[in-house]
Amino acid sequence: MSDDTPGAERDPVTEAIRALRAEAGQRPGGDSGPPGVRLAVDNDAELMRMAEALLFAAVEPLDLDTLKARLPSGADVRAVIAALQAKYQSAGIQLMEVGGRWRFQTAPDLAFLLRTEREEPRKLSQAALETLAIIAYHQPVTRAEIEDIRGVAVSRGTLDQLLEMKWIRLRGRRRSPGRPVTYGVTDGFLDYFGLASLGDLPGVSDLKAAGLLSSRLPPDFMIPEPGRILPGEEEDLFSDEEAADFHVDFLDVEEED
């Protein structure tokens, strides 16, 4: 039976939308006429569906510029992202920001469902963990600066291992005598540790609470702001091609840590 047949049951929502469309069609448009009825809800829902499809199909997190290029012209990408976050807030998957990019991932409280116990054939040594922490908090940092902070030489395999794991990268060359190479962490590092940005790294109070720092610290002890360029530390950044072609070669023979 057709919806127009007398006596047929009609969905009130459908009827309301039909009435709004009819009213919008009878009113003049443009800035000079009275404001017509805009079915923004329909447009917003379609934009959310498009962004949802892009984020689900992407093999890696997407930034706002990528989403903006794919969505219709004039789309408010930030508003769409906020709407999707609200939509999935209580769902089994959530829209999360990782390193300035967006992706769908399992809700944190359901992570135990996907957790599996397996033996890791390769673990980071204490030296590698210390080196990684120094790079994360002090980047951009040179190899000599890492050695100065740790008080021991960086072994040949430590930086190679972190580079191979794609947790650190070559940033560029410091504008200082010798033009030393500088290191920084990657989006893969942020992704693995669940950090939206370097600003989410734990501070002194967090490290103390976790038992990773002694409660008896020197009064002038501080943790640097990650990624902050201090005077005299300017660097010339590598392009992706230059970083890929660069070979780290230690000329001197060193003992492992």
Side-chain angles (χ1 to χ4, degrees):
M1 181 179 294
S2 171
D3 290 345
D4 295 330
T5 303
E9 294 185 2
R10 297 184 177 182
D11 180 12
V13 175
T14 302
E15 288 299 307
I17 293 178
R18 181 180 299 174
L20 288 172
R21 283 177 173 157
E23 184 178 355
Q26 296 172 1
R27 292 193 177 191
D31 296 336
S32 59
V37 177
R38 300 180 180 178
L39 299 180
V41 174
D42 287 352
N43 294 335
D44 291 346
E46 187 63 18
L47 288 175
M48 286 177 60
R49 290 183 68 241
M50 293 179 179
E52 196 173 42
L54 291 170
L55 290 163
F56 267 121
V59 297
E60 60 184 5
L62 300 180
D63 56 31
L64 296 180
D65 290 338
T66 300
L67 289 170
K68 185 175 181 180
R70 293 280 185 173
L71 294 176
S73 177
D76 188 343
V77 180
R78 292 187 181 276
V80 173
I81 289 293
L84 283 176
Q85 281 188 297
K87 175 182 177 181
Y88 286 94
Q89 184 175 5
S90 302
I93 58 173
Q94 295 178 358
L95 184 59
M96 305 293 291
E97 182 183 7
V98 177
R101 300 181 180 185
W102 297 89
R103 71 172 185 186
F104 282 109
Q105 67 181 42
T106 305
D109 61 315
L110 299 179
F112 70 94
L113 294 172
L114 306 178
R115 187 176 296 119
T116 58
E117 299 293 335
R118 67 179 184 272
E119 182 179 352
E120 287 290 342
R122 186 177 185 183
K123 294 183 179 180
L124 285 180
S125 63
Q126 185 66 27
L129 286 172
E130 292 175 1
T131 301
L132 180 62
I134 291 171
I135 294 174
Y137 280 99
H138 291 264
Q139 67 171 317
V141 62
T142 65
R143 181 183 173 218
E145 290 167 341
I146 296 172
E147 293 175 341
D148 183 59
I149 294 171
R150 289 193 63 221
V152 295
V154 177
S155 68
R156 176 168 186 162
T158 298
L159 289 174
D160 287 342
Q161 181 182 5
L162 295 174
L163 287 166
E164 182 181 341
M165 296 176 69
K166 300 187 185 302
W167 280 2
I168 67 171
R169 63 184 177 89
L170 301 170
R171 285 177 52 110
R173 288 189 179 277
R174 180 71 55 78
R175 296 178 185 174
S176 60
R179 306 278 290 163
V181 173
T182 60
Y183 297 90
V185 295
T186 65
D187 288 343
F189 167 85
L190 298 176
D191 188 8
Y192 184 86
F193 290 99
L195 303 172
S197 66
L198 286 173
D200 292 331
L201 284 169
V204 175
S205 58
D206 298 320
L207 295 174
K208 281 184 178 180
L212 299 176
L213 282 182
S214 169
S215 58
R216 298 180 179 179
L217 293 174
D220 58 345
F221 180 84
M222 62 175 292
I223 291 180
E225 180 180 347
R228 180 183 178 186
I229 305 296
L230 299 176
E233 291 189 349
E234 292 80 5
E235 59 181 340
D236 293 322
L237 299 178
F238 285 137
S239 66
D240 292 339
E241 294 77 10
E242 289 173 329
D245 293 337
F246 189 89
H247 177 65
V248 180
D249 187 17
F250 301 124
L251 298 180
D252 52 334
V253 178
E254 302 162 346
E255 296 182 357
E256 295 292 334
D257 289 359

